[in-house]
Amino acid sequence: MAKFDPGIKAMNQLTVNDIRKTATPIVCLTAYTAQIARLVDPHVDLILVGDSLGMALYGFDTTLPVTLDMMIAHGAAVVRSASHAVVAVDMPYGSYESSPEQALQNAQRVMRESGCAAVKLEGGAEMAATIRHLTQNGVPVMGHIGLMPQSVEKMGGYKIQGKDADSVTRLHTDAQAVAEAGAFCIVIEGTIESVARDISAVSTVPTIGIGASAACDGQVLVINDLLGLTPKPPRFAKRYAELAPVISDAVSAYAKDVRARRFPAPEHVFGKKNA
Ligand code: KIV
């Protein structure tokens, strides 16, 4: 696979330190392809090449089948199209849990081959040693606690976190451990509002919520949910557009034109007078 060529970055390229220090709400969105990244980049602070691409692009039921090669290929495509936002790439299931050494080797590969600025990995206190090992070796890390889709089997489904005292205590411990280990920000997914608010109030690094209320320091959504491309989006995901019927109508019109021999018209044909 071709190595990333950094090229010339724009003057207003944000860095992980800008994200760590910002006082304004952090705008984060997923992107998986060059075209979408180009449209997203000017408007957001952080682009996450999430392993949600397993569902959004590949038609998997969960994120578990996503591979390191997929993340690198999509990460590189996004990096090539982003000149403003920080690009972070998800470490997929099985690529970092075995040991801090395994995580570093794979995270360095993701950074080297995609050109991304940071990686994200799921896990709380149990991943603190790994996060520390990565950050001490020059790999910026975005944490991810709360509902962790890679642990869907272990968690017994996509369940809201923070509903009982044990869960609340664990979430606080996780957030503190991940921040102390050196993460520059922490995604909090699928937790009740009061927990997200309390963690955000004391966290030494910004929190980025998804299904965790407006009490976080920033928000992230899956782009397909926002654009109306997900058949059954989660309740927390606001649809800012309804692109599915737009695409369906366009394809239907094309199919009708081809069948009626209306397309291609003279203006689409080489060698015709007005081509
Ligand atoms: O994979 C992903 O897109 C994510 C976000 C939902 C935070 O992890």
Side-chain angles (χ1 to χ4, degrees):
M1 187 177 302
K3 292 279 189 304
F4 164 70
D5 170 6
I8 299 167
K9 284 291 181 188
M11 294 295 284
N12 65 346
Q13 170 76 69
L14 296 174
T15 67
V16 293
N17 275 334
D18 295 324
I19 303 294
R20 193 199 308 267
K21 290 187 298 199
T22 188
T24 53
I26 297 163
V27 183
C28 180
L29 202 50
T30 69
Y32 318 111
T33 62
Q35 272 179 329
I36 295 290
R38 195 169 298 120
L39 296 171
V40 164
D41 181 55
H43 305 287
V44 306
D45 307 308
L46 190 50
I47 297 178
L48 173 65
V49 185
D51 61 356
S52 51
L53 62 74
M55 288 88 99
L57 295 189
Y58 286 87
F60 298 140
D61 290 335
T62 70
T63 57
L64 302 190
V66 173
T67 66
L68 206 54
D69 285 344
M70 288 175 187
M71 296 312 303
I72 291 170
H74 288 279
V78 168
V79 168
R80 283 194 285 271
S81 289
S83 56
H84 165 66
V86 171
V87 178
V89 173
D90 250 338
M91 297 296 291
Y93 174 73
S95 70
Y96 62 95
E97 304 90 331
S98 298
S99 68
E101 291 73 27
Q102 179 214 23
L104 181 61
Q105 199 175 10
N106 285 329
Q108 284 175 330
R109 195 181 147 216
V110 169
M111 292 195 66
R112 190 170 56 243
E113 294 183 24
S114 75
C116 68
V119 298
K120 176 168 83 57
L121 56 85
E122 296 181 9
E126 77 284 4
M127 291 311 298
T130 294
I131 295 172
R132 187 168 294 109
H133 191 56
L134 296 193
T135 54
Q136 284 177 348
N137 283 283
V139 178
V141 176
M142 204 173 163
H144 184 153
I145 64 167
L147 195 164
M148 294 179 281
Q150 291 177 14
S151 304
V152 62
E153 305 295 344
K154 199 167 76 187
M155 290 175 139
Y158 296 97
K159 293 194 175 139
I160 299 302
Q161 304 295 300
K163 283 182 158 175
D164 58 62
D166 281 355
S167 170
V168 172
T169 306
R170 194 168 54 249
L171 284 165
H172 278 275
T173 308
D174 285 346
Q176 193 180 347
V178 168
E180 282 175 3
F184 69 94
C185 66
I186 306 173
V187 169
I188 303 181
E189 178 164 357
T191 61
I192 64 168
E193 182 171 21
S194 56
V195 184
R197 175 178 297 113
D198 292 349
I199 290 174
S200 301
V202 297
S203 178
T204 53
V205 295
T207 58
I208 301 182
I210 175 159
S213 86
C216 297
D217 299 309
Q219 295 294 322
V220 57
L221 279 180
V222 168
I223 184 86
N224 288 31
D225 296 346
L226 174 148
L227 294 178
L229 290 171
T230 308
K232 283 188 197 153
R235 182 167 85 87
F236 60 74
K238 180 170 172 184
R239 292 164 91 108
Y240 285 84
E242 292 293 343
L243 292 195
V246 174
I247 294 171
S248 180
D249 288 352
V251 174
S252 162
Y254 163 71
K256 281 185 188 138
D257 277 359
V258 170
R259 289 183 184 120
R261 299 200 181 279
R262 280 191 300 265
F263 177 83
E267 66 268 29
H268 307 121
V269 177
F270 297 113
K272 291 276 184 187
K273 214 169 162 193
N274 53 356

